Amino acid sequence: MCGIIGVTGRPSAVDDILAGLRRLEYRGYDSSGVVAVLEDGLGVVKRSGKLDRLDAALATAPLAAATGIGHTRWATHGAPTDANAHPHLDPAGRVAVVHNGIIENYRALRDDLAGAAFTSDTDTEVVAHLVARELDGPDGVDLLEAVRRVSGRLEGAYALCVVSADEPDTIVVARRQAPLIVAAVDGVGLCASDVAALIEHTDTCAALLDGQLARIRPDGYTVVDADGTAAAADEFTVDWDLSSAEKQGYEHFMLKEIHEQPVAVAETLLGRDDGAGNVTLDELRIDPSELARIDKVFILAAGTSLHAGMAGKLAIEHWAGVPVEVEVASEFRYRDPIVTDRTLVIAISQSGETTDTIAAAEHARAQGAPVIAISNVVGSTLARAADGVLYTRAGPEIAVASTKAFTTQIVACLVLALHLAQRKERLFASEARDVLDRLDTLPALVQRVVADDTAVLAAAERFKDVGYTMFIGRHGGLPIAYEGALKLKEVSYLHAEAFPAGEMKHGPIALIEPGSLVVAVAHDGHVFAKMVSNIQEVRARGASVLAVATASSRDALAEHADVVLTVPDAPHELAAPLLTVLPLQLYAYHVAVLRGADVDQPRNLAKTVTVE
Ligand code: AGP
């Protein structure tokens, strides 16, 4: 959730840090700060609010240094004030720390520092005190060893980045659960919480593994394990260029990313089989024969990724013939799930850093279940922890509201369902190739939908002030009803909720009255007639109905709905959600813009939730 960047070896270090923090804004934050290692000690500027405030403060008090670290904070302990903004220093001002995560035992550690003066309410500040005490201790340790000793006393999740006035060209980092990457290029040492902050400097990074630390200097970095022994970080190449993280002319990242979906879907489909229909995964670190024995699947995720999993469930049960439970990740490990070594866990996470999803997957793995990750970030914590990975190849998703990740996650689920069906010998390669050939028509169909949002914009203008919207759907339309409701509420702040259309009579229909708005996802297929009945029921009670239809269902809906948003027929019924979601993404976007909401960084939300 917080953003970290460190630079050593460049006279413009502070400018580089500010630029990097701006690339991390999408993570959501409410304060920011910079510390520079000056000739006469540490220089610190930090402010609550947006980066513009920090920029303005630096303009009046510039920090000229070749080494520094920066931070954008999303408050967890302590309100978003100047004092609570990172970095945090020890009382003598010789050590500065920025941190992403939660140190769960910080109060006990503070208690051990009886008499120490603290200037903030944060958990992070205690780290600066402890590191300084190690440096001032009798052993004469250096910064890396001091941070290593301190990090061994911390409980919880952290990505730490530390500088000291005594080692002016050195940055030390440590990670447990919260992501950290390091790089060294052309005499400059770098670290950051994610690649977006570094892609203008390098395309080769290394991800620290849990428990690892690194000392970064202009001539390179050294990685050690928690016990101090030399180690190797997980090096990877980033194929995102800087422009792909910019808006490329769109008003908002959300709109840009909606329009990137044709390419994202095409990329995610690319090379998924050997040409003859034998479907493969990006990385598989378990024996394929294990998958043949699977007799149960759990799909674990949060938010939009959970809704993609709901669509994935239908495909896995249809092709692989295995029962699938889709579960909110944050619930899974706090109950008693029945997990055996024949249970497969599919963990879906765009960022690959969602604590709830990672923790749930690790909980299942600890009970013997193999884990396959579907993630959009190469080298993410979830991807590296899993036994198999399918990357969604959607490119950086900057907007908090997830769009292209969602459609590519459904593609990945379809591919994975085919792969599982083949491992269980339920699908011939030729049949899988036929399905993939049909799915290969999706990018062009997605392009047709996003290319013309005239009807969607008209609907948004008509309904933008409706205070409550009910979304309904059945089978493949139900995940889209949930996703459409989430999109609308998270970017426009209007209340919206989704129900299985078959549930209406069991309660929700009591909400319907003249003026109600119901969004009905009604693609052609085996439950279409039932959707028409549900639409008639709410219409008879005075609701306005905004229907999402496919070309084959449009005419039958025209007489029952007030507005019909039409998408092309899907190449397979299980792929229909990829198309029916598009008008609802655009609808949520336009309503939010019309209402003047902060589309890319909605209030209270962060792009990645790396705390419980
Ligand atoms: C969706 O628009 C939200 N940004 C949120 O629900 C998100 O999908 C959820 O936090 C999961 O994130 P992940 O895919 O990175 O794990």
Side-chain angles (χ1 to χ4, degrees):
M1 208 107 62
C2 301
I4 292 174
I5 179 168
V7 178
T8 180
R10 272 166 72 95
S12 60
V14 174
D15 294 340
D16 295 327
I17 288 165
L18 254 293
L21 291 180
R22 289 215 179 272
R23 303 229 187 291
L24 296 175
E25 281 193 284
Y26 74 85
R27 298 168 69 93
Y29 70 104
D30 42 42
S31 63
S32 62
V34 174
V35 57
V37 185
L38 310 172
E39 288 180 8
D40 58 350
L42 299 182
V44 175
V45 176
K46 55 186 189 174
R47 289 291 185 276
S48 60
K50 295 299 185 186
L51 280 174
D52 291 345
R53 288 199 68 222
L54 179 65
D55 225 344
L58 282 165
T60 59
L63 297 172
T67 298
I69 56 181
H71 186 267
T72 50
R73 176 176 183 254
W74 193 80
T76 52
H77 289 82
T81 61
D82 290 1
N84 285 336
H86 297 204
H88 292 287
L89 282 70
D90 70 299
R94 307 291 297 166
V95 174
V97 179
V98 300
H99 163 227
N100 179 23
I102 290 182
I103 296 167
E104 294 179 357
N105 63 331
Y106 82 98
R107 285 191 177 80
L109 293 169
R110 272 199 179 202
D111 295 345
D112 291 349
L113 293 166
F118 286 89
T119 59
S120 78
D121 311 321
T122 67
D123 53 344
T124 307
E125 189 179 359
V126 74
V127 176
H129 284 244
L130 293 173
V131 170
R133 289 216 172 175
E134 288 295 338
L135 290 173
D136 296 340
D139 303 347
V141 296
D142 65 10
L143 188 58
L144 174 59
E145 177 58 14
V147 175
R148 188 191 72 79
R149 291 181 180 186
V150 170
S151 56
R153 297 176 60 189
L154 306 182
E155 294 171 12
Y158 56 77
L160 296 173
C161 188
V162 187
V163 289
S164 163
D166 305 331
E167 296 187 40
D169 63 349
T170 298
I171 299 171
V172 170
V173 293
R175 78 145 287 175
R176 184 190 300 155
Q177 292 183 30
L180 251 180
I181 55 177
V182 298
V185 57
D186 303 333
V188 180
L190 301 154
C191 62
S193 37
D194 77 42
V195 292
L198 299 187
I199 48 178
E200 63 183 303
H201 299 290
T202 179
D203 63 2
T204 303
C205 301
L208 288 194
L209 306 178
D210 257 7
Q212 288 187 335
L213 300 94
R215 172 173 51 222
I216 305 154
R217 287 181 173 144
D219 58 357
Y221 56 81
T222 305
V223 178
V224 297
D225 282 330
D227 63 4
T229 55
D234 192 1
E235 191 163 290
F236 59 95
T237 301
V238 182
D239 55 4
W240 294 346
D241 55 26
L242 183 54
S243 68
S244 68
E246 294 301 333
K247 295 178 190 169
Q248 289 169 357
Y250 290 96
E251 187 181 356
H252 300 99
F253 280 115
M254 183 178 176
L255 187 60
K256 168 178 169 284
E257 288 151 12
I258 288 171
H259 283 269
E260 286 179 331
Q261 290 181 109
V263 171
V265 166
E267 291 282 323
T268 303
L269 277 168
L270 204 59
R272 290 303 180 190
D273 74 311
D274 58 4
N278 296 298
V279 181
T280 55
L281 305 186
D282 286 301
E283 297 168 23
L284 192 58
R285 296 183 278 268
I286 50 174
D287 186 326
S289 63
E290 264 200 72
L291 296 179
R293 301 172 51 242
I294 294 300
D295 62 7
K296 169 68 176 290
V297 172
F298 278 111
I299 295 179
L300 307 177
T304 287
S305 299
L306 181 73
H307 302 151
M310 293 168 71
K313 164 190 168 78
L314 303 174
I316 294 169
E317 289 179 340
H318 176 76
W319 281 315
V322 177
V324 180
E325 267 191 67
V326 183
E327 182 141 2
V328 176
S330 55
E331 287 295 309
F332 180 77
R333 64 188 172 123
Y334 294 116
R335 66 179 184 80
D336 299 309
I338 309 305
V339 175
T340 73
D341 59 2
R342 299 184 63 186
T343 306
L344 171 67
V345 164
I346 300 172
I348 304 177
S349 175
Q350 186 282 132
S351 62
E353 302 301 345
T354 297
T355 295
D356 289 326
T357 306
I358 293 168
E362 287 173 344
H363 182 71
R365 201 151 185 267
Q367 298 177 64
V371 174
I372 289 180
I374 293 177
S375 181
N376 190 42
V377 180
V378 174
S380 63
T381 301
L382 180 67
R384 277 182 287 103
D387 299 294
V389 188
L390 252 181
Y391 286 111
T392 44
R393 302 174 191 163
E397 187 175 73
I398 307 297
V400 166
S402 188
T403 51
K404 61 179 181 175
F406 177 73
T407 45
T408 54
Q409 284 167 348
I410 293 177
V411 170
C413 286
L414 297 178
V415 169
L416 183 50
L418 295 172
H419 180 79
L420 283 179
Q422 291 185 320
R423 299 287 73 72
K424 298 185 75 65
E425 298 181 352
R426 286 175 52 95
L427 203 66
F428 293 114
S430 57
E431 293 171 306
R433 187 59 250 171
D434 169 62
V435 172
L436 289 169
D437 287 339
R438 293 162 72 180
L439 298 183
D440 284 342
T441 65
L442 280 168
L445 299 175
V446 171
Q447 177 57 32
R448 275 172 50 190
V449 179
V450 300
D452 178 9
D453 62 356
T454 311
V456 174
L457 180 54
E461 286 164 343
R462 176 173 174 179
F463 298 124
K464 66 180 171 51
D465 297 321
V466 173
Y468 168 76
T469 303
M470 183 184 287
F471 289 71
I472 60 174
R474 287 175 181 261
H475 192 255
L478 180 55
I480 303 311
Y482 281 113
E483 178 58 13
L486 175 59
K487 283 282 109 23
L488 182 63
K489 75 179 79 167
E490 70 173 320
V491 294
S492 71
Y493 313 150
L494 291 171
H495 184 39
E497 57 184 339
F499 300 100
E503 273 292 284
M504 294 295 284
K505 297 186 190 66
H506 302 285
I509 203 166
L511 290 171
I512 300 303
E513 59 188 7
S516 296
L517 175 59
V518 174
V519 175
V521 184
H523 60 275
D524 64 303
H526 67 292
V527 295
F528 176 68
K530 300 232 180 291
M531 280 304 298
V532 173
S533 303
N534 293 128
I535 289 169
Q536 289 170 319
E537 286 159 10
V538 297
R539 205 66 183 311
R541 290 162 176 79
S544 299
V545 174
L546 167 56
V548 178
T550 45
S552 297
S553 67
R554 176 190 50 216
D555 296 343
L557 282 172
E559 63 180 293
H560 301 298
D562 299 272
V563 177
V564 180
L565 301 176
T566 306
V567 300
D569 286 343
H572 190 293
E573 184 175 359
L574 291 169
L578 265 138
L579 298 174
T580 53
V581 73
L582 301 171
L584 298 184
Q585 293 174 342
L586 288 165
Y587 176 77
Y589 170 78
H590 284 305
V591 170
V593 170
L594 290 167
R595 295 179 58 84
D598 186 351
V599 174
D600 284 336
Q601 297 175 35
R603 67 185 182 199
N604 307 336
L605 294 178
K607 180 60 182 173
T608 307
V609 182
T610 55
V611 292
E612 279 199 80

